[in-house]
Amino acid sequence: MFPIRDHNPSGRTPYVTYGLIVANIVIFISYWSLFQQPRALSAFFYDWALIPALVSQGDGLTGMVTSMFLHGGLAHLAGNMLFLFIFGDNIEDEMGHGPFLGFYLACGVIAALAHYLAAPFSPVPTVGASGAIAGVMGGYLLLFPRARVDILVILIIFFKILPIPAWIVLAVWFALQVFGGLGSTADGGGVAYWAHLGGFVAGMALTVPVWLRRGGPAFWNRTRGHPPHPAIRYRDTTSIPKIGRRR
C-alpha cells in the first residue's frame, strides 16, 4: 500500500515544491543514458553521490547536497516525487517559499549526515531525495496529524483507496524505517534507512518553531489535528475559531 494524495489543499501555489520536482526530473533525464553504461554510471555517482568512505577521508563533502538530486532508477524517482508532491505543498504553505527551500535542503543534509554516521567507511554510493522528503513528512506529521491521506491498497487483482489519518500513514512508514534500519547493515547497498530516520526527525525538529508560532498544542486543540480551514489559515492564531471534528 502507498499514499496517492491527501485532503489538505494549500493556500498558495507551491512554487518551490514544483521546482524541486522539475529539478529532480530534469537532472535524472540528463544522465538517463548512463544506465546503459555501468562503468560510466559508476564514475558519475562516484563524483556526485554521497560516499561515506570519501567523506571520512575529507573528500566528497559536496555529495551531501548533490546526492539528494540523484536517483538510482525511474521507480526510485517516481516514488520520491510522489511523496514530495503529496506532502510538500502544505509545508511550503506554512513556512513560505524561501524558508521551505532552506528547510528541505537542511533536512537532506542532516539525513546524509545520519547515513554517514551509521556507516562512515562504506564505499557504497548513496543517492536519492528521500532523506529530505522524510523531513517534509516529519514536519507534516507535527502540523497535520489528522489530515486525511488516501492510500492505495492492492490485494492481488483487487485494489481499494482508503482515506486514513496522516499520523497513521507516517507512523507506519517511520516504524518500517526503524525495523529496516535495525535489520540491515548501513554499509551495504539497498535502502538508506538511517538517512530516512535522520531526515524525518530533523524535519519534525525544524518544524517546531512554525508549530509554536501557530500556537503549539493550542493549534492542535483548535484544529483537532486537521488542516486549518483555508479561510482562516493566514489569520492571527489568537483569533482562529474552534473547528468541529470532521467525519
Side-chain angles (χ1 to χ4, degrees), residues 24 28 31 35 45 69-73 76-77 80-81 127-129:
N24 276 276
F28 181 78
Y31 66 89
F35 283 94
F45 282 158
F69 292 94
L70 306 176
H71 290 84
H76 188 200
L77 172 70
N80 278 344
M81 294 305 99
V127 297

Side-chain angles (χ1 to χ4, degrees), residues 9-15 17-18 88-99 214 230 233-234:
S10 55
R12 64 180 112 186
T13 303
Y15 294 112
T17 298
Y18 292 161
D89 63 324
N90 300 113
I91 302 302
E92 181 176 350
D93 195 17
E94 294 296 328
M95 292 185 173
H97 304 305
R214 296 290 184 272
R233 185 182 292 273
Y234 296 108

Side-chain angles (χ1 to χ4, degrees), residues 3 14 33 35 59 79 104-105 135 142 161 207 237 241:
S33 61
F35 283 94
D59 197 6
Y104 180 90
L105 295 175
L142 181 63
I161 296 175
T207 307
T237 55

Side-chain angles (χ1 to χ4, degrees), residues 80-205:
N80 278 344
M81 294 305 99
L82 175 62
F83 274 69
L84 179 56
F85 179 77
I86 292 172
F87 300 111
D89 63 324
N90 300 113
I91 302 302
E92 181 176 350
D93 195 17
E94 294 296 328
M95 292 185 173
H97 304 305
F100 173 71
L101 178 59
F103 166 83
Y104 180 90
L105 295 175
C107 288
V109 171
I110 294 173
L113 181 60
H115 178 70
Y116 165 74
L117 293 175
F121 303 107
S122 172
V124 179
T126 301
V127 297
S130 51
I133 296 169
V136 174
M137 294 162 63
Y140 194 100
L141 176 61
L142 181 63
L143 293 178
F144 312 113
R146 296 190 64 188
R148 291 290 176 176
V149 177
D150 287 344
I151 62 170
L152 178 62
V153 179
I154 301 176
L155 300 173
I156 308 177
I157 62 172
F158 300 100
F159 68 89
K160 185 175 180 61
I161 296 175
L162 300 174
I164 62 176
W167 73 266
I168 295 179
V169 176
L170 298 176
V172 169
W173 179 90
F174 186 82
L176 291 174
Q177 306 313 302
V178 172
F179 290 133
L182 294 176
S184 64
T185 57
D187 57 352
V191 179
Y193 292 107
W194 295 109
H196 296 175
L197 293 169
F200 191 91
V201 172
M204 289 195 71

Side-chain angles (χ1 to χ4, degrees), residues 11-78:
R12 64 180 112 186
T13 303
Y15 294 112
V16 174
T17 298
Y18 292 161
L20 288 169
I21 292 173
V22 170
N24 276 276
I25 293 173
V26 169
I27 291 172
F28 181 78
I29 292 173
S30 73
Y31 66 89
W32 168 256
S33 61
L34 297 181
F35 283 94
Q36 305 303 320
Q37 309 170 53
R39 289 187 178 180
L41 183 63
S42 295
F44 176 79
F45 282 158
Y46 184 87
D47 290 335
W48 301 106
L50 169 64
I51 303 178
L54 289 183
V55 176
S56 292
Q57 297 171 12
D59 197 6
L61 290 173
T62 56
M64 290 193 170
V65 175
T66 56
S67 63
M68 73 177 79
F69 292 94
L70 306 176
H71 290 84
L74 187 58
H76 188 200
L77 172 70

